[in-house]
Amino acid sequence: MNANQAVDGWDALADSTRRAIVASLAEGPQAVGELAAGLPVTRPAVSQHLKVLKSAGLVSDRAEGTRRIYRLNPVALAALRDQLDAYWQRTLDNYAAEVARYQAELAQDRAGSTTTPPRRPDDHH
C-alpha cells in the first residue's frame, strides 16, 4: 500500500502493525519513538504506518519541539464504529426475521396437524 495515497480506514486497519499502533495511541498521544519502543518494527517503519493511518484520517499529529506527537482522531474512529454498528444491526435484524419465519412455520405446522410434531429445518425425512 502506498503511504502517499489516501486510504480507507478499514484498509488502514487491515495491517496488524497499524492496529497495534492504534491500540497504543488509544492509551494517549505518543511520538514515533515511543510507539516504536513497544513494537517489533523500526522507527522508519512506524513512521510509514503512521502516514497510512494519517492518510485514512485515523490519526493526526502536531509538532512539539523537534518531535511529532500522534493522537487518534475520535471522529474517524466513531465513523468506523458507526459502520460496524450498522453491519451488526442488519445481522441482528436478519436473524430476528429468520427466527420469526421459523416460528410462523412452526405455528402453521401445529395448526395443520395435531398428531405429528412439525419438522425442524435440519430433519432429513
Side-chain angles (χ1 to χ4, degrees), residues 4-96:
N4 296 323
Q5 175 182 359
V7 294
D8 172 82
W10 294 112
D11 289 336
L13 292 174
D15 182 272
S16 62
T17 300
R18 289 193 285 273
R19 287 193 307 272
I21 290 170
V22 167
S24 186
L25 289 174
E27 300 299 320
Q30 297 177 53
V32 174
E34 295 168 310
L35 290 165
L39 296 168
V41 295
T42 64
R43 285 173 68 140
V46 170
S47 292
Q48 290 302 309
H49 285 295
L50 285 164
K51 284 182 184 179
V52 173
L53 291 168
K54 188 174 176 182
S55 176
L58 297 175
V59 301
S60 61
D61 64 333
R62 65 174 163 67
E64 188 177 279
T66 59
R67 302 183 326 156
R68 299 217 63 78
I69 305 299
Y70 290 85
R71 68 180 66 241
L72 292 178
N73 177 351
V75 174
L77 290 174
L80 290 178
R81 181 173 177 176
D82 288 347
Q83 289 176 0
L84 198 55
D85 286 347
Y87 301 148
W88 182 242
Q89 190 58 54
R90 280 199 319 243
T91 300
L92 292 176
D93 291 346
N94 288 333
Y95 178 75

Coordinates of all heavy atoms in Angstrom, one line a residue, residues 4-96:
N4 N 1.5 7.4 0.4 CA 1.1 8.7 0.0 C -0.3 8.8 -0.6 O -0.8 9.8 -1.0 CB 2.2 9.2 -1.1 CG 3.5 9.4 -0.4 OD1 3.7 9.8 0.7 ND2 4.6 9.1 -1.2
Q5 N -0.9 7.6 -0.8 CA -2.2 7.5 -1.4 C -3.2 7.5 -0.3 O -3.1 6.8 0.7 CB -2.2 6.2 -2.2 CG -3.5 5.8 -2.8 CD -3.3 4.5 -3.5 OE1 -2.2 3.9 -3.6 NE2 -4.4 4.0 -4.1
A6 N -4.3 8.2 -0.5 CA -5.4 8.2 0.5 C -6.0 6.8 0.6 O -6.2 6.1 -0.4 CB -6.5 9.2 0.2
V7 N -6.2 6.4 1.8 CA -6.8 5.0 2.0 C -8.0 5.0 2.9 O -8.2 6.0 3.7 CB -5.7 4.1 2.7 CG1 -4.5 3.8 1.8 CG2 -5.2 4.6 4.0
D8 N -8.8 4.0 2.8 CA -10.0 3.8 3.6 C -9.5 3.4 5.0 O -8.5 2.7 5.2 CB -10.8 2.8 2.9 CG -12.0 2.3 3.8 OD1 -13.0 3.0 3.7 OD2 -11.9 1.2 4.4
G9 N -10.3 3.8 6.0 CA -10.0 3.4 7.4 C -9.9 1.9 7.6 O -9.0 1.4 8.3
W10 N -10.8 1.2 7.0 CA -10.8 -0.3 7.1 C -9.5 -0.9 6.5 O -8.9 -1.8 7.0 CB -12.0 -0.9 6.5 CG -13.3 -0.6 7.3 CD1 -14.3 0.2 6.8 CD2 -13.6 -0.9 8.6 NE1 -15.2 0.4 7.8 CE2 -14.9 -0.3 8.9 CE3 -13.0 -1.7 9.6 CZ2 -15.5 -0.5 10.1 CZ3 -13.6 -1.8 10.8 CH2 -14.9 -1.2 11.1
D11 N -9.1 -0.4 5.3 CA -7.9 -0.8 4.7 C -6.7 -0.5 5.6 O -5.8 -1.4 5.7 CB -7.7 -0.2 3.3 CG -8.7 -0.6 2.3 OD1 -9.2 -1.8 2.4 OD2 -9.0 0.1 1.3
A12 N -6.7 0.6 6.2 CA -5.6 1.0 7.0 C -5.5 0.1 8.2 O -4.4 -0.3 8.6 CB -5.7 2.5 7.5
L13 N -6.6 -0.3 8.7 CA -6.6 -1.2 9.9 C -6.4 -2.7 9.6 O -6.3 -3.5 10.5 CB -7.9 -1.0 10.7 CG -8.0 0.3 11.4 CD1 -9.4 0.5 12.0 CD2 -6.9 0.5 12.4
A14 N -6.3 -3.0 8.3 CA -6.1 -4.4 7.9 C -4.7 -4.9 8.3 O -4.5 -6.1 8.4 CB -6.3 -4.5 6.4
D15 N -3.8 -4.0 8.5 CA -2.4 -4.4 8.9 C -2.3 -4.5 10.4 O -2.7 -3.6 11.1 CB -1.5 -3.3 8.3 CG 0.0 -3.7 8.6 OD1 0.5 -3.3 9.7 OD2 0.6 -4.3 7.8
S16 N -1.7 -5.6 10.9 CA -1.6 -5.8 12.3 C -0.7 -4.8 13.0 O -1.0 -4.4 14.2 CB -1.2 -7.2 12.6 OG 0.1 -7.4 12.1
T17 N 0.3 -4.3 12.4 CA 1.2 -3.3 13.0 C 0.4 -2.0 13.2 O 0.5 -1.3 14.2 CB 2.4 -3.1 12.2 OG1 3.2 -4.3 12.1 CG2 3.3 -2.0 12.8
R18 N -0.4 -1.6 12.2 CA -1.2 -0.4 12.3 C -2.3 -0.6 13.4 O -2.5 0.4 14.1 CB -1.8 0.0 10.9 CG -0.7 0.5 10.0 CD -1.3 1.2 8.8 NE -1.9 0.3 7.8 CZ -1.2 -0.3 6.8 NH1 0.1 -0.1 6.7 NH2 -1.8 -1.1 6.0
R19 N -2.8 -1.7 13.5 CA -3.8 -2.0 14.6 C -3.1 -1.8 15.9 O -3.6 -1.3 16.9 CB -4.5 -3.3 14.5 CG -5.5 -3.4 13.4 CD -6.4 -4.6 13.4 NE -5.7 -5.9 13.5 CZ -5.2 -6.6 12.5 NH1 -5.4 -6.1 11.2 NH2 -4.6 -7.7 12.7
A20 N -1.9 -2.3 16.0 CA -1.1 -2.2 17.3 C -0.8 -0.7 17.6 O -0.8 -0.3 18.7 CB 0.2 -3.0 17.2
I21 N -0.5 0.1 16.6 CA -0.2 1.5 16.7 C -1.5 2.2 17.2 O -1.5 3.0 18.2 CB 0.3 2.1 15.4 CG1 1.7 1.6 15.1 CG2 0.2 3.7 15.5 CD1 2.2 2.0 13.7
V22 N -2.6 1.8 16.6 CA -3.9 2.4 17.1 C -4.2 2.0 18.5 O -4.6 2.9 19.3 CB -5.1 2.0 16.1 CG1 -6.4 2.3 16.7 CG2 -4.9 2.7 14.8
A23 N -4.0 0.8 18.9 CA -4.2 0.3 20.3 C -3.3 1.1 21.2 O -3.7 1.5 22.3 CB -3.9 -1.2 20.4
S24 N -2.1 1.4 20.8 CA -1.1 2.1 21.7 C -1.6 3.5 21.8 O -1.5 4.1 22.9 CB 0.3 2.0 21.1 OG 1.2 2.6 21.9
L25 N -2.0 4.1 20.7 CA -2.5 5.5 20.7 C -3.8 5.7 21.5 O -4.1 6.8 22.0 CB -2.6 6.1 19.3 CG -1.3 6.4 18.6 CD1 -1.6 6.8 17.1 CD2 -0.5 7.4 19.3
A26 N -4.5 4.6 21.7 CA -5.7 4.6 22.5 C -5.4 4.9 23.9 O -6.2 5.5 24.7 CB -6.5 3.3 22.4
E27 N -4.1 4.7 24.3 CA -3.7 4.9 25.7 C -3.3 6.4 25.9 O -3.2 6.9 27.0 CB -2.5 4.1 26.0 CG -2.7 2.6 26.0 CD -3.8 2.1 26.9 OE1 -3.8 2.6 28.1 OE2 -4.6 1.3 26.5
G28 N -3.1 7.1 24.7 CA -2.8 8.5 24.8 C -1.8 8.9 23.7 O -1.2 8.0 23.0
P29 N -1.7 10.2 23.4 CA -0.8 10.7 22.4 C 0.7 10.3 22.6 O 1.1 10.2 23.7 CB -0.9 12.2 22.5 CG -2.2 12.4 23.2 CD -2.4 11.3 24.1
Q30 N 1.4 9.9 21.5 CA 2.7 9.5 21.6 C 3.5 9.9 20.4 O 3.0 10.1 19.3 CB 2.8 8.0 21.7 CG 2.1 7.4 22.9 CD 2.2 5.9 22.9 OE1 3.2 5.3 22.7 NE2 1.0 5.3 23.0
A31 N 4.8 10.0 20.6 CA 5.8 10.3 19.5 C 6.2 9.0 18.8 O 5.9 7.9 19.4 CB 7.0 11.0 20.0
V32 N 6.8 9.1 17.6 CA 7.2 7.9 16.9 C 8.1 7.0 17.7 O 7.9 5.8 17.7 CB 7.9 8.3 15.6 CG1 8.4 7.1 14.8 CG2 6.9 9.0 14.6
G33 N 9.0 7.6 18.4 CA 10.0 6.8 19.2 C 9.3 6.0 20.3 O 9.6 4.9 20.5
E34 N 8.3 6.6 20.9 CA 7.6 5.9 22.0 C 6.8 4.8 21.4 O 6.7 3.7 22.0 CB 6.6 6.9 22.7 CG 7.3 8.0 23.4 CD 6.4 9.1 23.9 OE1 5.6 9.6 23.0 OE2 6.4 9.4 25.1
L35 N 6.2 5.0 20.2 CA 5.4 3.9 19.6 C 6.3 2.8 19.1 O 6.0 1.6 19.4 CB 4.7 4.5 18.4 CG 3.5 5.4 18.7 CD1 3.1 6.2 17.4 CD2 2.3 4.6 19.2
A36 N 7.5 3.1 18.6 CA 8.4 2.1 18.1 C 9.0 1.3 19.2 O 9.2 0.1 19.0 CB 9.5 2.8 17.3
A37 N 9.1 1.9 20.4 CA 9.7 1.1 21.5 C 8.8 0.0 21.9 O 9.3 -1.0 22.4 CB 9.8 2.1 22.7
G38 N 7.5 0.0 21.6 CA 6.6 -1.0 22.0 C 6.3 -2.0 20.9 O 5.4 -2.8 21.0
L39 N 6.9 -1.8 19.7 CA 6.6 -2.6 18.6 C 7.9 -3.3 18.0 O 9.0 -2.8 18.2 CB 6.0 -1.7 17.4 CG 4.7 -1.1 17.8 CD1 4.4 0.0 16.7 CD2 3.6 -2.1 17.8
P40 N 7.7 -4.5 17.3 CA 8.9 -5.2 16.8 C 9.3 -4.7 15.4 O 9.7 -5.4 14.6 CB 8.4 -6.6 16.7 CG 6.9 -6.5 16.5 CD 6.5 -5.2 17.2
V41 N 9.1 -3.3 15.2 CA 9.5 -2.8 13.9 C 10.3 -1.5 14.1 O 10.3 -1.0 15.2 CB 8.2 -2.4 13.0 CG1 7.5 -3.7 12.6 CG2 7.3 -1.4 13.7
T42 N 11.0 -1.0 13.1 CA 11.9 0.1 13.2 C 11.1 1.4 13.3 O 9.9 1.5 12.9 CB 12.8 0.2 12.1 OG1 12.1 0.4 10.9 CG2 13.7 -1.1 11.9
R43 N 11.7 2.5 13.8 CA 11.1 3.8 13.8 C 10.7 4.2 12.4 O 9.6 4.7 12.2 CB 12.1 4.8 14.4 CG 12.2 4.7 15.9 CD 13.2 5.6 16.4 NE 12.8 7.0 16.3 CZ 13.0 7.9 17.2 NH1 13.6 7.6 18.3 NH2 12.6 9.2 17.0
P44 N 11.5 4.0 11.3 CA 11.1 4.4 10.0 C 9.8 3.6 9.6 O 9.0 4.2 8.9 CB 12.3 4.1 9.1 CG 13.5 4.2 10.0 CD 13.0 3.6 11.3
A45 N 9.7 2.4 10.0 CA 8.6 1.6 9.6 C 7.3 2.1 10.3 O 6.2 2.2 9.7 CB 8.8 0.1 10.0
V46 N 7.5 2.5 11.6 CA 6.4 3.1 12.3 C 5.9 4.4 11.7 O 4.7 4.7 11.5 CB 6.7 3.3 13.8 CG1 5.7 4.2 14.5 CG2 6.9 2.0 14.5
S47 N 6.9 5.2 11.2 CA 6.6 6.4 10.5 C 5.8 6.2 9.3 O 4.8 6.9 9.0 CB 7.9 7.2 10.2 OG 8.5 7.7 11.3
Q48 N 6.1 5.1 8.5 CA 5.4 4.8 7.3 C 4.0 4.3 7.6 O 3.0 4.7 7.0 CB 6.1 3.7 6.5 CG 7.4 4.2 5.9 CD 7.2 5.3 4.9 OE1 6.3 5.3 4.1 NE2 7.9 6.4 5.1
H49 N 3.8 3.6 8.7 CA 2.5 3.1 9.1 C 1.7 4.3 9.6 O 0.5 4.4 9.3 CB 2.6 2.1 10.2 CG 3.0 0.7 9.8 ND1 2.2 0.0 8.9 CD2 4.1 0.0 10.0 CE1 2.9 -1.2 8.7 NE2 4.0 -1.2 9.3
L50 N 2.3 5.3 10.3 CA 1.6 6.5 10.7 C 1.1 7.3 9.5 O 0.0 7.9 9.6 CB 2.5 7.3 11.7 CG 2.6 6.7 13.1 CD1 3.7 7.4 13.8 CD2 1.3 6.9 13.8
K51 N 1.9 7.3 8.5 CA 1.5 8.1 7.2 C 0.2 7.5 6.7 O -0.7 8.2 6.2 CB 2.6 8.0 6.2 CG 3.7 9.0 6.5 CD 4.8 8.9 5.4 CE 6.0 9.8 5.7 NZ 7.0 9.7 4.7
V52 N 0.1 6.1 6.7 CA -1.1 5.5 6.2 C -2.2 5.8 7.1 O -3.3 6.1 6.6 CB -0.8 3.9 6.0 CG1 -2.1 3.2 5.7 CG2 0.3 3.6 5.0
L53 N -2.0 5.7 8.4 CA -3.1 6.0 9.3 C -3.6 7.4 9.2 O -4.8 7.7 9.3 CB -2.7 5.6 10.7 CG -2.5 4.2 11.0 CD1 -1.8 4.0 12.4 CD2 -3.9 3.4 11.0
K54 N -2.6 8.3 9.0 CA -3.0 9.7 8.8 C -3.7 10.0 7.5 O -4.7 10.7 7.5 CB -1.7 10.6 8.9 CG -1.9 12.0 8.9 CD -0.6 12.8 9.1 CE -0.9 14.3 9.1 NZ 0.3 15.1 9.2
S55 N -3.3 9.3 6.5 CA -4.0 9.4 5.2 C -5.4 8.9 5.3 O -6.3 9.5 4.6 CB -3.2 8.6 4.1 OG -3.9 8.6 2.9
A56 N -5.6 7.9 6.1 CA -7.0 7.4 6.3 C -7.8 8.3 7.3 O -9.0 8.1 7.5 CB -6.9 6.0 6.8
G57 N -7.1 9.3 7.9 CA -7.8 10.2 8.8 C -8.0 9.6 10.2 O -8.6 10.2 11.0
L58 N -7.3 8.5 10.5 CA -7.5 7.9 11.8 C -6.6 8.5 12.8 O -6.8 8.3 14.0 CB -7.2 6.4 11.7 CG -8.1 5.6 10.8 CD1 -7.7 4.1 10.7 CD2 -9.6 5.7 11.3
V59 N -5.5 9.1 12.4 CA -4.6 9.8 13.4 C -4.3 11.2 12.9 O -4.4 11.5 11.7 CB -3.3 9.0 13.6 CG1 -3.5 7.7 14.2 CG2 -2.4 9.0 12.4
S60 N -4.0 12.1 13.8 CA -3.5 13.4 13.5 C -2.2 13.6 14.2 O -1.8 12.8 15.1 CB -4.5 14.5 13.9 OG -4.7 14.4 15.3
D61 N -1.4 14.6 13.8 CA -0.2 14.9 14.5 C 0.0 16.4 14.7 O -0.7 17.2 14.1 CB 1.0 14.3 13.8 CG 1.2 14.9 12.4 OD1 0.2 15.4 11.8 OD2 2.3 14.9 11.9
R62 N 0.9 16.7 15.7 CA 1.2 18.1 15.9 C 2.7 18.2 16.3 O 3.2 17.2 16.8 CB 0.3 18.7 17.0 CG 0.5 18.1 18.3 CD -0.3 18.9 19.4 NE -0.5 18.1 20.6 CZ 0.5 17.8 21.5 NH1 1.7 18.1 21.2 NH2 0.2 17.1 22.6
A63 N 3.3 19.3 16.0 CA 4.7 19.4 16.3 C 4.8 19.8 17.8 O 4.0 20.6 18.3 CB 5.3 20.5 15.4
E64 N 5.8 19.2 18.4 CA 6.2 19.6 19.8 C 7.7 19.6 19.8 O 8.3 18.5 20.0 CB 5.6 18.5 20.7 CG 5.7 18.9 22.2 CD 5.0 17.9 23.1 OE1 3.8 18.0 23.3 OE2 5.8 17.0 23.6
G65 N 8.2 20.8 19.6 CA 9.7 20.9 19.5 C 10.1 20.2 18.2 O 9.6 20.5 17.2
T66 N 11.1 19.3 18.3 CA 11.5 18.6 17.1 C 10.8 17.3 16.9 O 11.0 16.6 15.9 CB 13.0 18.2 17.3 OG1 13.2 17.4 18.4 CG2 13.9 19.5 17.4
R67 N 9.9 16.9 17.8 CA 9.1 15.7 17.7 C 7.7 16.0 17.1 O 7.2 17.1 17.2 CB 8.9 15.0 19.0 CG 10.2 14.7 19.7 CD 10.1 14.0 21.0 NE 8.9 14.3 21.8 CZ 8.4 13.6 22.7 NH1 8.9 12.4 23.0 NH2 7.4 14.0 23.4
R68 N 7.1 14.9 16.5 CA 5.7 15.0 16.1 C 5.0 14.1 17.1 O 5.4 12.9 17.3 CB 5.5 14.5 14.7 CG 6.3 15.4 13.7 CD 5.7 15.7 12.4 NE 4.4 16.4 12.4 CZ 4.2 17.7 12.6 NH1 5.2 18.5 12.8 NH2 3.0 18.2 12.5
I69 N 3.9 14.6 17.6 CA 3.1 13.8 18.6 C 1.8 13.4 17.8 O 1.1 14.2 17.3 CB 2.7 14.6 19.8 CG1 4.0 15.2 20.5 CG2 1.9 13.8 20.8 CD1 4.9 14.1 21.0
Y70 N 1.6 12.1 17.9 CA 0.4 11.5 17.2 C -0.7 11.2 18.2 O -0.4 10.8 19.3 CB 0.8 10.2 16.4 CG 1.7 10.6 15.2 CD1 3.1 10.7 15.4 CD2 1.2 10.7 14.0 CE1 3.9 11.1 14.3 CE2 2.0 11.1 12.9 CZ 3.3 11.2 13.1 OH 4.1 11.6 12.0
R71 N -1.9 11.4 17.7 CA -3.1 11.0 18.5 C -4.2 10.5 17.6 O -4.2 10.7 16.4 CB -3.6 12.2 19.3 CG -4.2 13.3 18.5 CD -4.7 14.5 19.2 NE -3.6 15.2 19.9 CZ -3.5 15.4 21.2 NH1 -4.4 14.9 22.0 NH2 -2.4 16.0 21.7
L72 N -5.1 9.7 18.2 CA -6.2 9.2 17.4 C -7.2 10.3 17.1 O -7.3 11.2 17.9 CB -6.9 8.1 18.2 CG -6.1 6.8 18.5 CD1 -6.9 5.8 19.3 CD2 -5.7 6.1 17.2
N73 N -7.8 10.1 16.0 CA -8.9 11.0 15.6 C -10.2 10.4 16.0 O -10.7 9.5 15.3 CB -8.9 11.3 14.1 CG -10.0 12.1 13.6 OD1 -10.9 12.5 14.3 ND2 -9.9 12.5 12.3
P74 N -10.9 10.9 17.1 CA -12.1 10.2 17.6 C -13.2 10.3 16.6 O -14.1 9.4 16.5 CB -12.4 11.0 18.8 CG -11.6 12.2 18.8 CD -10.4 12.0 17.9
V75 N -13.3 11.3 15.7 CA -14.4 11.4 14.8 C -14.3 10.3 13.7 O -15.3 9.7 13.4 CB -14.4 12.8 14.1 CG1 -15.4 12.9 13.0 CG2 -14.6 13.9 15.1
A76 N -13.0 10.1 13.2 CA -12.8 9.0 12.2 C -13.1 7.6 12.8 O -13.7 6.8 12.2 CB -11.4 9.1 11.6
L77 N -12.7 7.4 14.1 CA -12.9 6.1 14.7 C -14.4 5.9 15.0 O -14.9 4.8 14.8 CB -12.1 6.0 16.0 CG -10.6 5.9 15.8 CD1 -9.9 5.9 17.2 CD2 -10.3 4.6 15.1
A78 N -15.1 7.0 15.3 CA -16.6 6.9 15.5 C -17.3 6.6 14.2 O -18.2 5.8 14.2 CB -17.1 8.2 16.1
A79 N -16.8 7.1 13.1 CA -17.4 6.8 11.8 C -17.2 5.3 11.5 O -18.2 4.6 11.0 CB -16.8 7.6 10.7
L80 N -16.1 4.7 11.8 CA -15.8 3.3 11.6 C -16.8 2.5 12.5 O -17.3 1.5 12.1 CB -14.4 2.9 11.8 CG -13.4 3.4 10.8 CD1 -12.0 2.9 11.2 CD2 -13.7 2.9 9.4
R81 N -16.9 2.9 13.7 CA -17.8 2.2 14.7 C -19.2 2.3 14.2 O -19.9 1.3 14.3 CB -17.6 2.8 16.1 CG -18.5 2.0 17.0 CD -18.3 2.4 18.4 NE -19.2 1.7 19.2 CZ -19.3 1.7 20.5 NH1 -18.5 2.5 21.2 NH2 -20.2 1.0 21.2
D82 N -19.6 3.4 13.7 CA -21.0 3.5 13.2 C -21.2 2.5 12.0 O -22.3 1.9 12.0 CB -21.3 5.0 12.7 CG -21.4 6.0 13.8 OD1 -21.5 5.5 15.0 OD2 -21.4 7.2 13.5
Q83 N -20.2 2.4 11.1 CA -20.4 1.4 10.1 C -20.5 0.0 10.6 O -21.4 -0.8 10.2 CB -19.2 1.5 9.1 CG -19.1 2.7 8.3 CD -17.8 2.8 7.4 OE1 -17.0 1.9 7.5 NE2 -17.7 3.8 6.6
L84 N -19.7 -0.3 11.6 CA -19.7 -1.6 12.2 C -21.0 -1.9 12.9 O -21.6 -3.0 12.8 CB -18.5 -1.8 13.1 CG -18.1 -3.2 13.5 CD1 -17.8 -4.1 12.3 CD2 -16.9 -3.2 14.5
D85 N -21.5 -0.9 13.6 CA -22.8 -1.0 14.3 C -23.9 -1.2 13.3 O -24.8 -2.0 13.5 CB -23.1 0.3 15.1 CG -22.3 0.4 16.4 OD1 -21.7 -0.6 16.8 OD2 -22.3 1.5 17.0
A86 N -23.8 -0.6 12.1 CA -24.9 -0.7 11.1 C -24.8 -2.2 10.5 O -25.9 -2.8 10.3 CB -24.7 0.2 9.9
Y87 N -23.6 -2.7 10.3 CA -23.5 -4.1 9.9 C -24.1 -5.1 10.9 O -24.8 -6.0 10.6 CB -22.0 -4.5 9.6 CG -21.3 -3.7 8.6 CD1 -20.0 -3.5 8.7 CD2 -22.0 -3.2 7.5 CE1 -19.3 -2.7 7.8 CE2 -21.3 -2.4 6.5 CZ -20.0 -2.2 6.7 OH -19.3 -1.5 5.8
W88 N -23.8 -4.8 12.2 CA -24.2 -5.7 13.3 C -25.8 -5.6 13.4 O -26.4 -6.6 13.6 CB -23.6 -5.2 14.6 CG -23.9 -6.0 15.8 CD1 -24.6 -5.6 16.9 CD2 -23.7 -7.4 16.0 NE1 -24.8 -6.7 17.8 CE2 -24.2 -7.8 17.2 CE3 -23.1 -8.4 15.2 CZ2 -24.2 -9.1 17.7 CZ3 -23.1 -9.7 15.7 CH2 -23.6 -10.0 16.9
Q89 N -26.3 -4.4 13.3 CA -27.8 -4.2 13.4 C -28.5 -5.0 12.2 O -29.5 -5.6 12.5 CB -28.2 -2.7 13.4 CG -29.6 -2.5 13.7 CD -30.0 -3.1 15.0 OE1 -29.4 -2.8 16.1 NE2 -31.0 -4.0 15.1
R90 N -27.9 -4.9 11.0 CA -28.5 -5.7 9.9 C -28.5 -7.2 10.2 O -29.4 -7.9 9.9 CB -27.8 -5.3 8.6 CG -28.2 -4.1 8.0 CD -27.9 -3.9 6.5 NE -26.6 -4.4 6.1 CZ -25.6 -3.6 5.6 NH1 -25.8 -2.4 5.4 NH2 -24.5 -4.2 5.3
T91 N -27.3 -7.6 10.7 CA -27.2 -9.0 11.1 C -28.3 -9.4 12.1 O -28.9 -10.5 11.9 CB -25.8 -9.3 11.6 OG1 -24.9 -9.0 10.6 CG2 -25.6 -10.8 12.0
L92 N -28.4 -8.6 13.1 CA -29.4 -8.9 14.2 C -30.8 -8.9 13.6 O -31.7 -9.8 13.9 CB -29.3 -8.0 15.3 CG -28.1 -8.1 16.2 CD1 -28.1 -7.0 17.2 CD2 -28.0 -9.5 16.8
D93 N -31.1 -7.9 12.7 CA -32.5 -7.8 12.1 C -32.7 -9.1 11.2 O -33.8 -9.6 11.3 CB -32.6 -6.6 11.2 CG -32.6 -5.3 12.1 OD1 -32.8 -5.4 13.3 OD2 -32.4 -4.2 11.5
N94 N -31.7 -9.5 10.5 CA -31.9 -10.7 9.6 C -32.1 -11.9 10.5 O -32.9 -12.8 10.1 CB -30.7 -10.8 8.7 CG -30.7 -9.8 7.6 OD1 -31.8 -9.3 7.2 ND2 -29.6 -9.5 7.1
Y95 N -31.4 -12.0 11.6 CA -31.6 -13.2 12.5 C -33.0 -13.2 13.1 O -33.6 -14.2 13.1 CB -30.5 -13.1 13.6 CG -30.6 -14.3 14.6 CD1 -30.2 -15.5 14.2 CD2 -31.2 -14.1 15.8 CE1 -30.4 -16.6 15.1 CE2 -31.3 -15.1 16.7 CZ -30.9 -16.4 16.4 OH -31.0 -17.4 17.2
A96 N -33.4 -12.0 13.5 CA -34.8 -11.9 14.1 C -35.8 -12.3 13.0 O -36.8 -13.0 13.4 CB -35.0 -10.5 14.6

